[in-house]
Coordinates of all heavy atoms in Angstrom, one line a residue:
M1 N 0.8 -1.2 0.0 CA 0.0 0.0 0.1 C 0.9 1.3 0.0 O 0.6 2.2 -0.7 CB -0.9 0.0 1.2 CG -1.8 1.1 1.3 SD -3.2 0.9 0.0 CE -4.2 2.1 0.4
L2 N 2.0 1.2 0.8 CA 2.8 2.4 0.9 C 3.6 2.5 -0.4 O 3.9 3.7 -0.8 CB 3.8 2.1 2.1 CG 4.6 3.3 2.4 CD1 3.9 4.5 2.8 CD2 5.6 2.9 3.5
Q3 N 3.9 1.5 -1.1 CA 4.6 1.6 -2.4 C 3.7 2.2 -3.4 O 4.1 3.0 -4.3 CB 5.0 0.2 -2.8 CG 6.1 -0.4 -2.0 CD 6.6 -1.7 -2.5 OE1 5.7 -2.4 -3.2 NE2 7.7 -2.3 -1.9
L4 N 2.3 1.9 -3.4 CA 1.3 2.5 -4.4 C 1.2 4.1 -4.1 O 1.2 4.7 -5.1 CB 0.0 1.8 -4.2 CG -1.2 2.3 -5.0 CD1 -0.8 2.0 -6.5 CD2 -2.4 1.7 -4.7
I5 N 1.2 4.5 -2.9 CA 1.2 5.9 -2.6 C 2.4 6.5 -3.0 O 2.4 7.6 -3.5 CB 0.8 6.0 -1.1 CG1 -0.6 5.5 -0.8 CG2 1.0 7.5 -0.7 CD1 -0.8 5.7 0.8
S6 N 3.5 5.9 -2.7 CA 4.8 6.5 -3.1 C 4.9 6.6 -4.6 O 5.3 7.6 -5.2 CB 6.0 5.7 -2.7 OG 7.2 6.1 -3.1
F7 N 4.4 5.6 -5.3 CA 4.4 5.5 -6.9 C 3.5 6.7 -7.3 O 3.8 7.5 -8.3 CB 3.9 4.2 -7.4 CG 3.8 4.2 -8.8 CD1 4.9 4.1 -9.6 CD2 2.5 4.2 -9.4 CE1 4.8 4.1 -11.0 CE2 2.5 4.2 -10.8 CZ 3.6 4.1 -11.6
L8 N 2.3 7.0 -6.7 CA 1.4 8.1 -7.1 C 2.0 9.4 -6.9 O 1.9 10.4 -7.7 CB 0.1 7.9 -6.5 CG -0.8 6.7 -7.1 CD1 -2.0 6.6 -6.1 CD2 -1.2 7.0 -8.3
I9 N 2.7 9.6 -5.8 CA 3.2 10.9 -5.4 C 4.4 11.3 -6.4 O 4.5 12.3 -6.9 CB 3.7 10.9 -4.0 CG1 2.6 10.9 -3.0 CG2 4.7 12.1 -3.7 CD1 3.0 10.7 -1.6
H10 N 5.2 10.2 -6.7 CA 6.3 10.4 -7.7 C 5.8 10.6 -9.1 O 6.4 11.5 -10.0 CB 7.3 9.3 -7.7 CG 8.2 9.3 -6.4 ND1 9.1 10.3 -6.1 CD2 8.2 8.4 -5.5 CE1 9.6 9.9 -5.0 NE2 9.2 8.9 -4.6
G11 N 4.7 10.1 -9.5 CA 4.1 10.2 -10.7 C 3.3 11.6 -10.9 O 3.4 12.2 -12.0
I12 N 2.8 12.2 -9.8 CA 2.1 13.4 -9.9 C 3.2 14.6 -9.7 O 2.8 15.8 -10.1 CB 1.1 13.5 -8.8 CG1 0.0 12.5 -9.1 CG2 0.4 14.9 -8.7 CD1 -1.1 12.4 -8.0
Q13 N 4.3 14.4 -9.1 CA 5.2 15.5 -8.8 C 5.6 16.4 -9.8 O 5.6 17.6 -9.6 CB 6.4 14.9 -8.2 CG 7.3 15.9 -7.4 CD 8.4 15.1 -6.6 OE1 8.6 13.9 -6.8 NE2 9.0 15.9 -5.6
P14 N 5.8 16.0 -11.1 CA 6.1 17.0 -12.2 C 5.0 17.9 -12.5 O 5.2 19.0 -13.1 CB 6.5 16.1 -13.3 CG 6.7 14.8 -12.8 CD 5.9 14.6 -11.6
F15 N 3.8 17.5 -12.2 CA 2.6 18.3 -12.5 C 2.1 19.3 -11.4 O 1.3 20.1 -11.5 CB 1.4 17.5 -12.9 CG 1.6 16.6 -14.0 CD1 1.8 15.2 -13.8 CD2 1.8 17.2 -15.4 CE1 2.0 14.4 -14.9 CE2 2.2 16.2 -16.4 CZ 2.2 14.9 -16.1
L16 N 2.8 19.2 -10.1 CA 2.2 19.9 -9.1 C 2.6 21.4 -9.1 O 1.8 22.1 -8.9 CB 2.9 19.3 -7.7 CG 2.2 18.0 -7.2 CD1 2.9 17.5 -6.0 CD2 0.8 18.3 -7.0
I17 N 3.8 21.7 -9.6 CA 4.3 23.1 -9.8 C 3.4 23.8 -10.7 O 2.8 25.0 -10.3 CB 5.8 23.2 -10.1 CG1 6.5 22.7 -8.9 CG2 6.1 24.6 -10.4 CD1 8.1 22.6 -9.2
P18 N 3.1 23.3 -11.8 CA 2.2 24.0 -12.8 C 0.7 24.2 -12.3 O 0.1 25.3 -12.3 CB 2.2 23.3 -14.1 CG 3.4 22.5 -14.1 CD 3.7 22.2 -12.7
I19 N 0.3 23.2 -11.6 CA -1.1 23.2 -11.1 C -1.2 24.2 -9.9 O -2.1 25.0 -10.0 CB -1.6 21.8 -10.6 CG1 -1.8 20.8 -11.8 CG2 -2.8 21.8 -9.8 CD1 -2.0 19.4 -11.5
C20 N -0.2 24.2 -9.1 CA -0.2 25.2 -7.9 C 0.0 26.6 -8.5 O -0.6 27.5 -7.9 CB 1.0 24.9 -7.0 SG 0.7 23.4 -6.0
F21 N 0.8 26.8 -9.5 CA 0.9 28.1 -10.1 C -0.3 28.7 -10.6 O -0.8 29.8 -10.4 CB 2.0 28.1 -11.3 CG 2.2 29.3 -12.0 CD1 3.0 30.3 -11.4 CD2 1.6 29.5 -13.2 CE1 3.2 31.5 -12.0 CE2 1.9 30.8 -13.8 CZ 2.6 31.7 -13.2
I22 N -1.1 27.8 -11.4 CA -2.3 28.2 -12.0 C -3.4 28.4 -10.9 O -4.2 29.4 -11.0 CB -2.9 27.1 -13.0 CG1 -1.9 27.1 -14.2 CG2 -4.3 27.4 -13.4 CD1 -2.1 26.0 -15.2
V23 N -3.5 27.6 -9.9 CA -4.5 27.8 -8.9 C -4.2 29.1 -8.1 O -5.1 29.8 -7.8 CB -4.5 26.5 -8.0 CG1 -5.3 26.8 -6.6 CG2 -5.0 25.3 -8.6
A24 N -2.9 29.4 -7.8 CA -2.5 30.5 -7.0 C -3.0 31.8 -7.8 O -3.5 32.7 -7.2 CB -1.1 30.5 -6.8
W25 N -2.6 31.8 -9.0 CA -2.9 33.0 -9.9 C -4.6 33.1 -10.2 O -5.1 34.2 -10.1 CB -2.3 33.0 -11.3 CG -0.9 33.6 -11.1 CD1 0.3 32.9 -11.1 CD2 -0.7 35.0 -10.9 NE1 1.3 33.7 -11.0 CE2 0.8 35.1 -10.9 CE3 -1.4 36.2 -10.8 CZ2 1.4 36.3 -10.6 CZ3 -0.8 37.4 -10.6 CH2 0.7 37.4 -10.5
T26 N -5.2 32.0 -10.2 CA -6.7 32.0 -10.3 C -7.3 32.7 -9.1 O -8.2 33.6 -9.2 CB -7.2 30.7 -10.5 OG1 -6.6 30.1 -11.8 CG2 -8.8 30.7 -10.8
I27 N -6.8 32.2 -7.9 CA -7.4 32.8 -6.7 C -7.1 34.2 -6.6 O -8.0 35.1 -6.1 CB -6.8 32.0 -5.4 CG1 -7.4 30.6 -5.5 CG2 -7.1 32.7 -4.1 CD1 -6.8 29.6 -4.4
T28 N -5.8 34.7 -7.0 CA -5.5 36.1 -6.9 C -6.4 36.9 -7.8 O -6.8 38.0 -7.4 CB -4.0 36.3 -7.3 OG1 -3.2 35.5 -6.4 CG2 -3.6 37.7 -7.2
I29 N -6.6 36.4 -9.0 CA -7.4 37.2 -10.0 C -8.8 37.3 -9.5 O -9.5 38.3 -9.5 CB -7.4 36.5 -11.4 CG1 -6.0 36.8 -12.0 CG2 -8.4 37.0 -12.3 CD1 -5.6 36.0 -13.3
L30 N -9.3 36.2 -8.9 CA -10.8 36.2 -8.4 C -10.9 37.2 -7.2 O -11.9 37.9 -7.1 CB -11.2 34.8 -7.9 CG -11.4 33.9 -9.1 CD1 -11.8 32.4 -8.5 CD2 -12.6 34.4 -10.0
V31 N -9.9 37.3 -6.3 CA -9.9 38.2 -5.2 C -10.0 39.7 -5.8 O -10.7 40.4 -5.3 CB -8.8 38.0 -4.2 CG1 -8.6 39.1 -3.3 CG2 -9.1 36.6 -3.5
V32 N -9.0 39.9 -6.8 CA -9.0 41.3 -7.3 C -10.3 41.7 -8.0 O -10.8 42.7 -7.8 CB -7.8 41.4 -8.3 CG1 -7.8 42.7 -9.1 CG2 -6.5 41.4 -7.4
L33 N -10.8 40.8 -8.6 CA -12.1 41.0 -9.4 C -13.3 41.2 -8.4 O -14.1 42.1 -8.5 CB -12.5 39.9 -10.4 CG -11.7 39.7 -11.7 CD1 -12.2 38.5 -12.5 CD2 -11.9 41.1 -12.5
S34 N -13.2 40.5 -7.3 CA -14.2 40.7 -6.3 C -14.2 42.0 -5.6 O -15.2 42.7 -5.3 CB -14.1 39.5 -5.3 OG -15.0 39.8 -4.1
L35 N -13.0 42.4 -5.3 CA -12.7 43.7 -4.7 C -13.1 44.9 -5.7 O -13.8 45.9 -5.3 CB -11.3 44.0 -4.3 CG -10.9 43.0 -3.1 CD1 -9.3 43.2 -2.9 CD2 -11.6 43.5 -1.9
W36 N -12.7 44.6 -7.0 CA -13.2 45.7 -7.9 C -14.7 45.7 -8.1 O -15.2 47.0 -8.2 CB -12.5 45.3 -9.3 CG -13.0 46.3 -10.4 CD1 -14.0 45.9 -11.4 CD2 -12.6 47.6 -10.7 NE1 -14.2 47.1 -12.2 CE2 -13.4 48.0 -11.8 CE3 -11.8 48.4 -10.0 CZ2 -13.3 49.3 -12.2 CZ3 -11.6 49.7 -10.5 CH2 -12.3 50.1 -11.6
T37 N -15.4 44.7 -8.1 CA -16.9 44.7 -8.2 C -17.4 45.4 -6.9 O -18.4 46.1 -7.1 CB -17.4 43.3 -8.4 OG1 -16.7 42.7 -9.6 CG2 -18.8 43.2 -8.5
A38 N -17.0 45.0 -5.7 CA -17.5 45.6 -4.5 C -17.2 47.2 -4.5 O -18.2 48.0 -4.2 CB -16.8 45.0 -3.3
A39 N -16.2 47.6 -5.0 CA -15.8 49.0 -5.1 C -16.8 49.7 -6.1 O -17.2 50.8 -5.8 CB -14.4 49.3 -5.4
R40 N -17.0 49.1 -7.3 CA -17.8 49.7 -8.2 C -19.3 49.8 -7.8 O -19.9 50.9 -8.0 CB -17.7 48.9 -9.5 CG -18.5 49.5 -10.7 CD -18.5 48.5 -11.9 NE -19.3 47.3 -11.3 CZ -19.2 46.1 -11.9 NH1 -18.3 45.9 -12.8 NH2 -20.0 45.1 -11.4
D41 N -19.7 48.8 -7.2 CA -21.1 48.9 -6.6 C -21.3 50.0 -5.4 O -22.2 50.5 -5.4 CB -21.5 47.3 -6.1 CG -21.6 46.5 -7.2 OD1 -21.7 46.8 -8.4 OD2 -21.7 45.2 -6.9
S42 N -20.3 49.9 -4.6 CA -20.4 50.9 -3.5 C -20.3 52.4 -4.1 O -21.1 53.2 -3.6 CB -19.1 50.8 -2.7 OG -19.1 49.6 -2.0
V43 N -19.6 52.6 -5.2 CA -19.6 54.0 -5.8 C -20.9 54.3 -6.4 O -21.5 55.4 -6.3 CB -18.4 54.2 -6.8 CG1 -18.6 55.4 -7.6 CG2 -17.1 54.1 -6.0
S44 N -21.5 53.3 -7.1 CA -22.9 53.6 -7.7 C -23.9 53.7 -6.8 O -24.8 54.6 -6.9 CB -23.2 52.4 -8.7 OG -23.4 51.2 -8.0
T45 N -23.9 53.1 -5.5 CA -24.8 53.1 -4.4 C -24.7 54.6 -3.8 O -25.6 55.2 -3.6 CB -24.7 52.2 -3.5 OG1 -24.8 50.9 -4.1 CG2 -25.7 52.2 -2.4
A46 N -23.4 54.9 -3.6 CA -23.1 56.3 -3.1 C -23.6 57.4 -3.9 O -24.3 58.4 -3.4 CB -21.7 56.5 -2.8
K47 N -23.5 57.3 -5.3 CA -23.8 58.3 -6.1 C -25.5 58.4 -6.1 O -26.0 59.6 -6.1 CB -23.5 58.0 -7.6 CG -22.1 58.3 -7.8 CD -21.8 58.1 -9.3 CE -20.3 58.3 -9.6 NZ -19.9 57.9 -11.1
Q48 N -26.1 57.3 -6.0 CA -27.6 57.3 -5.9 C -28.0 57.9 -4.6 O -29.0 58.7 -4.6 CB -28.2 56.0 -6.1 CG -29.7 56.0 -6.2 CD -30.2 54.6 -6.7 OE1 -29.4 53.6 -6.8 NE2 -31.5 54.4 -6.8
M49 N -27.4 57.6 -3.5 CA -27.8 58.1 -2.2 C -27.5 59.6 -2.1 O -28.3 60.3 -1.4 CB -27.0 57.4 -1.2 CG -27.4 55.8 -1.0 SD -29.1 55.5 -1.0 CE -29.4 55.7 0.8
H50 N -26.6 60.1 -2.8 CA -26.3 61.6 -2.7 C -27.4 62.3 -3.5 O -27.4 63.5 -3.5 CB -24.9 61.8 -3.3 CG -23.8 61.6 -2.2 ND1 -23.7 62.3 -1.1 CD2 -22.9 60.7 -2.2 CE1 -22.7 61.9 -0.4 NE2 -22.3 60.8 -1.0
Q51 N -28.2 61.7 -4.3 CA -29.3 62.4 -5.0 C -30.5 62.6 -4.0 O -31.5 63.3 -4.6 CB -29.7 61.6 -6.3 CG -28.7 61.5 -7.3 CD -29.1 60.6 -8.4 OE1 -30.1 59.9 -8.3 NE2 -28.3 60.6 -9.5
I52 N -30.5 62.1 -2.9 CA -31.7 62.2 -2.0 C -31.7 63.7 -1.4 O -30.7 64.0 -0.7 CB -31.6 61.1 -0.9 CG1 -31.7 59.8 -1.5 CG2 -32.7 61.4 0.2 CD1 -31.6 58.6 -0.4
P53 N -32.6 64.5 -1.7 CA -32.6 65.9 -1.3 C -33.2 66.2 0.1 O -33.3 67.4 0.5 CB -33.6 66.5 -2.4 CG -34.6 65.5 -2.6 CD -33.8 64.2 -2.6
C54 N -33.5 65.2 0.9 CA -34.2 65.5 2.1 C -33.5 66.4 3.1 O -34.1 67.2 3.8 CB -34.4 64.1 2.9 SG -35.6 63.0 2.0
T55 N -32.2 66.3 3.2 CA -31.5 67.1 4.2 C -31.6 68.6 3.9 O -31.4 69.5 4.8 CB -30.1 66.8 4.4 OG1 -29.5 66.8 3.1 CG2 -29.9 65.4 4.9
N56 N -31.8 69.0 2.6 CA -32.0 70.4 2.2 C -33.5 70.9 2.1 O -33.7 71.9 1.6 CB -31.2 70.6 0.9 CG -29.8 70.4 1.1 OD1 -29.1 70.7 2.0 ND2 -29.2 69.8 -0.1
C57 N -34.4 70.0 2.6 CA -35.8 70.3 2.4 C -36.2 71.1 3.7 O -35.8 70.8 4.8 CB -36.6 68.9 2.3 SG -38.3 69.3 2.0
Q58 N -37.2 71.9 3.4 CA -37.9 72.7 4.4 C -38.6 71.8 5.5 O -38.7 72.2 6.6 CB -38.7 73.7 3.8 CG -39.7 74.5 4.7 CD -40.5 75.5 3.8 OE1 -40.0 76.1 2.9 NE2 -41.7 75.8 4.3
F59 N -39.2 70.8 5.0 CA -40.0 69.8 5.8 C -39.1 68.8 6.6 O -39.6 68.1 7.4 CB -41.0 69.2 5.0 CG -41.9 70.1 4.3 CD1 -41.8 70.1 3.0 CD2 -42.8 71.0 5.0 CE1 -42.7 71.1 2.2 CE2 -43.5 71.9 4.3 CZ -43.5 71.8 2.9
F60 N -37.8 68.8 6.3 CA -36.9 67.8 7.1 C -36.6 68.2 8.5 O -36.2 69.4 8.6 CB -35.7 67.6 6.2 CG -34.8 66.5 6.7 CD1 -35.2 65.2 6.5 CD2 -33.6 66.8 7.3 CE1 -34.3 64.2 7.0 CE2 -32.8 65.8 7.8 CZ -33.2 64.5 7.6
T61 N -36.7 67.3 9.4 CA -36.3 67.7 10.8 C -35.0 66.9 11.1 O -34.8 65.8 10.5 CB -37.4 67.3 11.8 OG1 -37.7 65.9 11.7 CG2 -38.7 68.1 11.4
T62 N -34.4 67.2 12.2 CA -33.3 66.5 12.6 C -33.7 65.4 13.7 O -32.8 64.7 14.3 CB -32.1 67.3 13.2 OG1 -32.7 68.2 14.2 CG2 -31.6 68.2 12.0
D63 N -34.9 65.4 14.0 CA -35.4 64.3 14.9 C -35.4 63.0 14.3 O -36.0 62.8 13.2 CB -36.8 64.9 15.5 CG -37.3 64.0 16.6 OD1 -36.5 63.2 17.2 OD2 -38.3 64.2 17.1
Y64 N -34.8 62.0 15.0 CA -34.9 60.6 14.4 C -36.4 60.0 14.4 O -36.5 59.1 13.7 CB -33.9 59.7 15.2 CG -34.3 59.4 16.5 CD1 -35.0 58.2 16.8 CD2 -33.9 60.2 17.6 CE1 -35.3 57.8 18.1 CE2 -34.3 59.8 19.0 CZ -34.9 58.8 19.1 OH -35.3 58.4 20.5
R65 N -37.2 60.5 15.3 CA -38.6 60.0 15.4 C -39.4 60.5 14.1 O -40.3 59.7 13.8 CB -39.2 60.3 16.7 CG -38.5 59.6 17.9 CD -38.9 60.2 19.1 NE -38.4 61.6 19.3 CZ -38.3 62.2 20.4 NH1 -38.5 61.6 21.5 NH2 -37.9 63.4 20.4
L66 N -39.2 61.6 13.8 CA -40.0 62.2 12.7 C -39.0 62.9 11.7 O -38.8 64.1 11.9 CB -41.1 63.1 13.1 CG -42.0 63.7 12.1 CD1 -42.8 62.6 11.4 CD2 -42.9 64.8 12.7
K67 N -38.5 62.3 10.7 CA -37.5 62.9 9.8 C -38.2 63.9 8.8 O -37.5 64.9 8.5 CB -36.8 61.8 9.0 CG -36.0 61.0 10.0 CD -35.3 60.0 9.2 CE -34.6 59.0 10.1 NZ -33.2 58.9 10.1
C68 N -39.4 63.6 8.4 CA -40.1 64.5 7.4 C -41.5 64.6 7.9 O -42.2 63.7 8.2 CB -40.0 63.9 6.1 SG -40.8 64.9 4.8
T69 N -42.0 66.0 7.9 CA -43.3 66.1 8.4 C -44.3 65.8 7.3 O -45.5 65.7 7.7 CB -43.5 67.6 8.9 OG1 -43.1 68.4 7.8 CG2 -42.6 67.8 10.1
V70 N -43.9 65.8 6.1 CA -44.9 65.5 5.0 C -44.9 64.0 4.6 O -45.9 63.5 4.5 CB -44.5 66.4 3.7 CG1 -45.5 66.1 2.6 CG2 -44.6 67.8 4.1
H71 N -43.7 63.5 4.4 CA -43.8 62.0 4.1 C -42.7 61.3 4.9 O -41.5 61.0 4.7 CB -43.1 62.0 2.6 CG -44.0 62.5 1.6 ND1 -45.2 61.9 1.2 CD2 -43.8 63.7 0.9 CE1 -45.8 62.8 0.2 NE2 -45.0 63.7 0.0
P72 N -43.2 61.0 6.2 CA -42.2 60.4 7.2 C -41.7 59.0 6.8 O -40.7 58.6 7.2 CB -43.0 60.3 8.4 CG -44.5 60.5 8.0 CD -44.5 61.2 6.8
S73 N -42.5 58.2 6.1 CA -42.1 56.8 5.7 C -41.2 56.7 4.6 O -40.5 55.8 4.5 CB -43.4 56.1 5.3 OG -44.0 56.6 4.2
T74 N -41.0 57.8 3.8 CA -40.0 57.7 2.7 C -38.9 58.7 2.8 O -38.1 58.9 2.0 CB -40.7 58.2 1.3 OG1 -41.4 59.4 1.4 CG2 -41.8 57.2 1.0
A75 N -38.8 59.3 4.0 CA -37.6 60.4 4.2 C -36.3 59.5 4.3 O -36.2 58.4 4.8 CB -38.0 61.1 5.5
N76 N -35.5 60.2 3.5 CA -34.1 59.6 3.4 C -33.9 58.2 2.8 O -33.1 57.4 3.1 CB -33.3 59.5 4.8 CG -32.9 60.9 5.2 OD1 -32.7 61.8 4.5 ND2 -32.5 61.0 6.6
T77 N -34.9 57.8 1.9 CA -34.9 56.6 1.2 C -34.8 57.0 -0.3 O -34.9 58.2 -0.7 CB -36.2 55.8 1.4 OG1 -37.3 56.5 0.9 CG2 -36.3 55.5 2.8
E78 N -34.6 56.0 -1.2 CA -34.6 56.2 -2.7 C -35.8 56.7 -3.2 O -35.8 57.4 -4.3 CB -34.2 54.9 -3.3 CG -32.6 54.4 -3.0 CD -32.3 53.2 -3.5 OE1 -33.2 52.7 -4.3 OE2 -31.3 52.7 -3.3
E79 N -36.9 56.5 -2.5 CA -38.2 57.0 -3.0 C -38.4 58.4 -2.9 O -39.2 59.1 -3.6 CB -39.3 56.2 -2.3 CG -39.4 54.7 -2.4 CD -40.6 54.1 -1.4 OE1 -41.3 54.9 -0.9 OE2 -40.4 53.0 -1.2
A80 N -37.5 59.1 -2.2 CA -37.6 60.5 -2.0 C -36.8 61.3 -2.9 O -36.8 62.5 -2.9 CB -37.1 60.9 -0.5
I81 N -36.2 60.6 -3.9 CA -35.3 61.3 -4.9 C -36.2 62.2 -5.8 O -35.8 63.3 -5.9 CB -34.6 60.3 -5.8 CG1 -33.5 59.7 -4.9 CG2 -33.9 61.0 -7.0 CD1 -32.8 58.6 -5.6
N82 N -37.4 61.9 -6.1 CA -38.2 62.8 -6.9 C -39.5 63.1 -6.2 O -40.5 63.1 -6.7 CB -38.6 62.1 -8.2 CG -37.5 61.8 -9.1 OD1 -36.5 62.6 -9.2 ND2 -37.4 60.6 -9.8
C83 N -39.3 63.6 -4.9 CA -40.4 64.0 -4.0 C -41.0 65.2 -4.7 O -40.4 66.2 -4.9 CB -39.8 64.3 -2.7 SG -41.1 64.8 -1.5
I84 N -42.4 65.2 -4.8 CA -43.2 66.2 -5.3 C -43.3 67.4 -4.4 O -43.5 68.6 -4.8 CB -44.5 65.9 -5.9 CG1 -45.2 65.2 -4.9 CG2 -44.2 64.9 -7.1 CD1 -46.6 64.9 -5.4
D85 N -43.1 67.1 -3.1 CA -43.3 68.2 -2.0 C -42.0 68.8 -1.7 O -42.0 69.5 -0.6 CB -44.0 67.5 -0.9 CG -45.4 67.2 -1.2 OD1 -46.1 67.8 -1.8 OD2 -45.9 66.0 -0.7
Y86 N -40.8 68.6 -2.3 CA -39.6 69.1 -1.9 C -39.7 70.6 -2.0 O -40.1 71.1 -3.0 CB -38.5 68.5 -2.8 CG -37.1 69.2 -2.6 CD1 -36.5 68.9 -1.4 CD2 -36.7 70.1 -3.4 CE1 -35.2 69.5 -1.2 CE2 -35.4 70.7 -3.3 CZ -34.8 70.5 -2.2 OH -33.5 71.0 -1.9
Q87 N -39.2 71.3 -0.9 CA -39.1 72.7 -0.8 C -37.8 73.0 -0.3 O -37.4 72.6 0.8 CB -40.2 73.3 0.0 CG -41.6 73.0 -0.4 CD -42.2 74.2 -1.1 OE1 -41.8 75.4 -0.8 NE2 -43.1 73.9 -2.1
P88 N -36.9 73.8 -1.1 CA -35.6 74.1 -0.4 C -35.7 74.9 0.8 O -36.7 75.7 1.1 CB -34.9 75.0 -1.4 CG -35.8 74.9 -2.7 CD -37.1 74.4 -2.3
K89 N -34.8 74.8 1.8 CA -34.8 75.5 2.9 C -34.7 77.0 2.7 O -34.0 77.5 2.0 CB -33.6 75.1 3.9 CG -33.9 73.8 4.5 CD -32.8 73.5 5.5 CE -32.9 72.2 6.2 NZ -31.8 71.8 7.1
T90 N -35.6 77.8 3.4 CA -35.6 79.2 3.2 C -34.5 79.8 4.1 O -33.9 80.9 3.7 CB -36.9 79.9 3.6 OG1 -37.2 79.5 4.9 CG2 -37.9 79.4 2.6
N91 N -34.2 79.2 5.2 CA -33.1 79.7 6.1 C -32.0 78.6 6.1 O -32.3 77.6 7.0 CB -33.6 80.1 7.4 CG -32.5 80.8 8.2 OD1 -31.3 80.8 7.8 ND2 -32.8 81.3 9.4
P92 N -31.0 78.6 5.4 CA -30.1 77.4 5.5 C -29.3 77.3 6.7 O -28.6 76.2 7.0 CB -29.1 77.7 4.3 CG -29.1 79.2 4.0 CD -30.5 79.5 4.4
Y93 N -29.3 78.3 7.6 CA -28.6 78.2 8.9 C -29.3 77.4 9.9 O -28.8 77.3 11.0 CB -28.2 79.6 9.3 CG -27.2 80.2 8.3 CD1 -27.9 81.3 7.5 CD2 -26.0 79.9 8.2 CE1 -27.0 81.9 6.6 CE2 -25.2 80.3 7.2 CZ -25.7 81.4 6.3 OH -24.8 82.1 5.4
L94 N -30.6 77.1 9.7 CA -31.3 76.2 10.7 C -30.9 74.8 10.5 O -31.0 74.4 9.3 CB -32.8 76.4 10.5 CG -33.4 77.8 10.8 CD1 -34.9 77.8 10.6 CD2 -33.3 78.1 12.3
Y95 N -30.6 74.2 11.6 CA -30.2 72.8 11.5 C -29.0 72.6 10.6 O -28.5 72.3 9.8 CB -31.3 71.9 11.1 CG -32.5 72.0 11.9 CD1 -33.6 72.5 11.5 CD2 -32.4 71.7 13.3 CE1 -34.8 72.6 12.2 CE2 -33.5 71.8 14.0 CZ -34.7 72.3 13.5 OH -35.7 72.4 14.3

């Protein structure tokens, strides 16, 4: 049994270096692609979130219990991007 295992190890040995080389580079490429995809998705999400106008709206409050007096359920969400009741703050120094 030991001779069979020894024979198999010596038979596979010339192929181990190329196989390990390919596996190592494949893992490296997959990690880089995964990081690139995560960064790209984060940037696109951040761009979309910066389109939410709630913080500059007259009806927006800084109270966490009632963020918007007109549409409290959609305040600071993606649904608020095209809010028809958006009014810019008349006094930007409040809050």
Side-chain angles (χ1 to χ4, degrees):
M1 184 70 168
L2 189 58
Q3 291 177 348
L4 178 65
I5 293 174
S6 176
F7 177 73
L8 287 175
I9 290 175
H10 289 294
I12 295 174
Q13 196 169 13
F15 302 110
L16 283 180
I17 293 175
I19 290 172
C20 290
F21 178 78
I22 291 171
V23 168
W25 275 107
T26 302
I27 290 172
T28 303
I29 290 170
L30 288 175
V31 166
V32 168
L33 286 176
S34 175
L35 290 173
W36 173 257
T37 303
R40 186 190 62 208
D41 292 344
S42 297
V43 168
S44 67
T45 302
K47 283 182 181 179
Q48 186 170 7
M49 296 307 276
H50 281 292
Q51 293 177 352
I52 298 173
C54 289
T55 55
N56 298 324
C57 183
Q58 165 178 334
F59 303 113
F60 186 74
T61 64
T62 56
D63 188 8
Y64 71 93
R65 294 170 291 205
L66 181 65
K67 294 183 189 240
C68 177
T69 56
V70 179
H71 299 287
S73 62
T74 60
N76 283 343
T77 63
E78 294 175 6
E79 296 174 17
I81 290 176
N82 294 320
C83 181
I84 58 173
D85 295 318
Y86 172 75
Q87 301 259 330
K89 286 184 180 179
T90 55
N91 187 355
Y93 299 108
L94 291 176
Y95 303 114

